[in-house]
Amino acid sequence: CLHFMSGPDASISVFENTEMAFSEKNDKDLKKAWLLFSLFNKKILLKPGILLLKASFFLRLPINAVVKATIFNQFCGGESLEECEKVITRLSQKKILTAIHFSVENKSSEKDFENVTQKILSDIQFAGKNKEVHTVSIKLTGLGSMEFFERLQEKKHSNEDLAALERMRQRLHLLCAAA
């Protein structure tokens, strides 16, 4: 659940108003955010850091707690809607609205795409019951594989791809109808 914040009327993006974006942060959180973003600006550290992070996940090193306490908590409200609710409530007290974003991609099976669709449907239902949530975002790469989109883009698709495109359209129509 990525929390994208905007103004009380959802017309002012926090990317345009950093005072609003950080209004719910205390001094400790602000210092932590400053450190994180200053590290992101050091390209000499960023590229090796990303490679190290990917390698650590690939090797299944026990780094989840560190990632969750640093990068994850800066950009995400939680791993579940239940975890996100606490952040949504805290943000709403500062008149900051939230967008739900189920971040998943690089899936390849129809079962995966159906599971993602069901998760997003759940997010839409959650948003419908929570006035503090003004948006649910959808990544098309959660509803179809990246390779599928590349073949469509390059106009090198097969009849099987056209059938997959129709299934993806049905999923998207289902999600839009639910919203």
Side-chain angles (χ1 to χ4, degrees):
C1 161
L2 179 69
H3 59 265
F4 166 86
M5 302 165 286
S6 62
D9 64 358
S11 66
I12 303 169
S13 166
V14 294
F15 299 114
E16 298 170 48
N17 184 339
T18 55
E19 181 181 350
M20 184 184 299
F22 294 105
S23 65
E24 57 93 27
K25 302 282 186 194
N26 60 35
D27 287 349
K28 180 182 173 188
D29 291 336
L30 288 171
K31 287 176 184 175
K32 190 168 139 183
W34 178 84
L35 177 62
L36 187 63
F37 284 109
S38 66
L39 291 173
F40 287 167
N41 282 323
K42 298 189 185 320
K43 291 186 191 253
I44 195 165
L45 297 176
L46 187 61
K47 287 185 180 184
I50 290 171
L51 290 173
L52 185 61
L53 189 63
K54 286 181 178 180
S56 297
F57 280 124
F58 179 77
L59 296 171
R60 300 190 191 283
L61 297 177
I63 63 165
N64 286 349
V66 172
V67 171
K68 191 165 184 178
T70 54
I71 300 166
F72 182 88
N73 280 343
Q74 181 62 44
F75 300 103
C76 301
E79 293 183 63
S80 67
L81 289 175
E82 292 76 25
E83 281 183 34
C84 290
E85 260 185 305
K86 297 171 194 166
V87 176
I88 291 167
T89 300
R90 191 178 75 235
L91 293 173
S92 72
Q93 292 168 351
K94 295 286 187 175
K95 307 285 188 239
I96 299 171
L97 301 177
T98 303
I100 301 292
H101 175 78
F102 178 57
S103 182
V104 65
E105 49 190 339
N106 294 329
K107 300 294 183 184
S108 58
S109 75
E110 287 297 313
K111 183 179 179 189
D112 289 334
F113 304 140
E114 288 301 321
N115 288 339
V116 169
T117 301
Q118 292 305 311
K119 174 67 176 102
I120 296 170
L121 280 172
S122 172
D123 293 348
I124 291 169
Q125 291 169 351
F126 177 85
K129 296 174 187 171
N130 292 277
K131 64 181 176 13
E132 298 87 7
V133 178
H134 71 94
T135 304
V136 174
S137 68
I138 300 170
K139 285 184 100 168
L140 292 181
T141 52
L143 304 178
S145 74
M146 184 63 77
E147 294 80 15
F148 162 76
F149 286 111
E150 288 170 354
R151 288 190 303 272
L152 288 178
Q153 179 72 29
E154 295 167 2
K155 297 186 181 356
K156 296 181 180 177
H157 51 273
S158 64
N159 287 337
E160 185 178 314
D161 287 330
L162 294 176
L165 177 62
E166 184 54 36
R167 289 189 299 274
M168 191 193 75
R169 282 184 181 148
Q170 289 172 359
R171 289 184 200 105
L172 195 54
H173 284 292
L174 176 68
L175 295 170
C176 291

